Amino acid sequence: MNLTTKYLGLSLRSPLVPSASPLSEKIDNVRAMEQAGAAAVVFHSLFEEQIEASAPEFRVDPGTYLENIAQAKRAVGIPIIGSLNCTTLGGWISYARRITEAGADALELNIYKIPTRTDIAGNVIEDIYTDTVRSVRAATKIPLAVKLSPYFSSLANMAASLNALNVDGLVLFNRFYQPDIDLEKMEVTPNLTLSTPADMRLPLHWIGILYGKVHASLAATSGIYQAQDVIKLVMVGAGVTMLCSALMRHGITHLQRIEMDLIALLQQQGHKSLSELKGIMSQQNCPDPSAFERAQYVRGLSSYTSLFPMRR
């Protein structure tokens, strides 16, 4: 079965790509990912706050990160995609260049901006994104992907603006940090949770809308746990499906299970390649384009009330 796909201009053996996570901090894990069938690996993110941290336990040596990329390139034959998260424009440019020099095949910009000031308008935040991407695009020639959040007032327009800057890919979506409260300590505390299968619906929705409207490759991330998820996301237009929580829960070898199930499902349906399904259920190509828009919301509510009629 032919599972090959293209992402960021790279030819990949399948759409199965481990996304940025602590798993890639160890070279042995990167080797295990390749052996399990990973088509590429997105390296764990380099955070500018960790580089500049004053407390030793939070400080990260960027030299170590860059050397790890170089080691991974020597250890495996699949593409290594760097991941960068900075707070200053100078940081974005400097570390993008250094990651390029370390030998990364591509770079994912993990832009993580949470505006909390009430006097900052949405267009100002959008300008920060485009200025960052424009500067990094000028600083490196390797393929560039941008990992987006879904919280733009017009996500389609934001995607088009980044597409116009010649980014090679858009990753949908970044899962923003959502704190909790420790009632005993009366403190706001970190609460990083793994995704669930239901989280796959959001990238599926927006990849289906954007497919055919931007030339950038579209990557899905969040909630991808099984072969059916991969097929659905490819059908709406995803070039790759990125896995993190599934591997954290079930181990790296879960990649093998997904690939085996993927091949079995495609064979059952009589397909010769996964690419036959690419984009056939996107808004551009599906029988009912309104399924991605407001009308489907009303239809969904109607189906819900018919299944669970209101008691009087």
Side-chain angles (χ1 to χ4, degrees), residues 106-253:
L107 176 60
E108 180 178 289
L109 302 185
N110 180 11
I111 304 180
Y112 189 99
K113 186 75 176 176
I114 301 180
T116 58
R117 288 173 48 185
T118 58
D119 60 337
I120 297 180
N123 65 297
V124 175
I125 301 301
E126 293 172 2
D127 288 345
I128 291 173
Y129 275 72
T130 53
D131 290 346
T132 298
V133 172
R134 183 182 295 106
S135 298
V136 176
R137 177 71 290 171
T140 179
K141 300 303 180 185
I142 62 174
L144 195 65
V146 181
K147 194 170 189 178
L148 286 172
S149 85
Y151 303 122
F152 292 96
S153 58
S154 178
L155 179 63
N157 180 262
M158 188 74 243
S161 297
L162 295 172
N163 185 71
L165 296 176
N166 293 319
V167 299
D168 301 278
L170 298 173
V171 184
L172 310 182
F173 286 107
N174 204 339
R175 297 178 68 236
F176 276 6
Y177 161 66
Q178 295 175 330
D180 201 351
I181 294 177
D182 186 320
L183 293 178
E184 291 185 2
K185 296 181 180 180
M186 295 300 289
E187 292 178 352
V188 177
T189 58
N191 184 29
L192 297 178
T193 58
L194 298 179
S195 69
T196 66
D199 294 322
M200 184 265 290
R201 299 285 185 85
L202 187 60
L204 182 146
H205 187 190
W206 277 103
I207 288 173
I209 291 171
L210 293 176
Y211 180 76
K213 298 177 182 176
V214 296
H215 67 252
S217 301
L218 298 171
T221 185
S222 288
I224 302 165
Y225 277 79
Q226 54 187 343
Q228 290 93 330
D229 303 332
V230 176
I231 291 176
K232 289 176 183 179
L233 288 161
V234 170
M235 289 176 73
V236 294
V240 294
T241 52
M242 295 184 171
L243 302 100
C244 175
S245 295
L247 304 186
M248 299 286 282
R249 289 183 191 274
H250 304 300
I252 291 171
T253 56

Side-chain angles (χ1 to χ4, degrees), residues 3-18:
L3 300 180
T4 57
T5 188
K6 276 189 171 285
Y7 177 59
L8 306 180
L10 303 170
S11 296
L12 304 181
R13 65 178 299 274
S14 83
L16 304 179
V17 176

Side-chain angles (χ1 to χ4, degrees), residues 6-160:
K6 276 189 171 285
Y7 177 59
L8 306 180
L10 303 170
S11 296
L12 304 181
R13 65 178 299 274
S14 83
L16 304 179
V17 176
S19 60
S21 80
L23 289 174
S24 60
E25 292 178 3
K26 296 182 179 179
I27 299 301
D28 285 347
N29 284 344
V30 178
R31 288 194 187 97
M33 290 174 186
E34 181 183 45
Q35 292 170 0
V41 173
V42 182
F43 235 53
H44 59 98
S45 290
L46 177 63
F47 290 89
E48 190 172 1
E49 292 100 326
Q50 291 179 316
I51 298 169
E52 305 296 334
S54 56
E57 64 268 28
F58 295 117
R59 189 170 178 81
V60 170
D61 176 18
T64 301
Y65 181 89
L66 299 169
E67 177 56 29
N68 285 347
I69 287 182
Q71 287 180 7
K73 284 295 298 173
R74 294 192 293 267
V76 299
I78 57 177
I80 298 296
I81 302 172
S83 178
L84 184 60
N85 186 312
C86 290
T87 57
T88 65
L89 189 56
W92 283 111
I93 295 171
S94 173
Y95 292 113
R97 286 174 174 163
R98 295 176 69 178
I99 289 173
T100 301
E101 292 166 359
D105 296 283
L107 176 60
E108 180 178 289
L109 302 185
N110 180 11
I111 304 180
Y112 189 99
K113 186 75 176 176
I114 301 180
T116 58
R117 288 173 48 185
T118 58
D119 60 337
I120 297 180
N123 65 297
V124 175
I125 301 301
E126 293 172 2
D127 288 345
I128 291 173
Y129 275 72
T130 53
D131 290 346
T132 298
V133 172
R134 183 182 295 106
S135 298
V136 176
R137 177 71 290 171
T140 179
K141 300 303 180 185
I142 62 174
L144 195 65
V146 181
K147 194 170 189 178
L148 286 172
S149 85
Y151 303 122
F152 292 96
S153 58
S154 178
L155 179 63
N157 180 262
M158 188 74 243

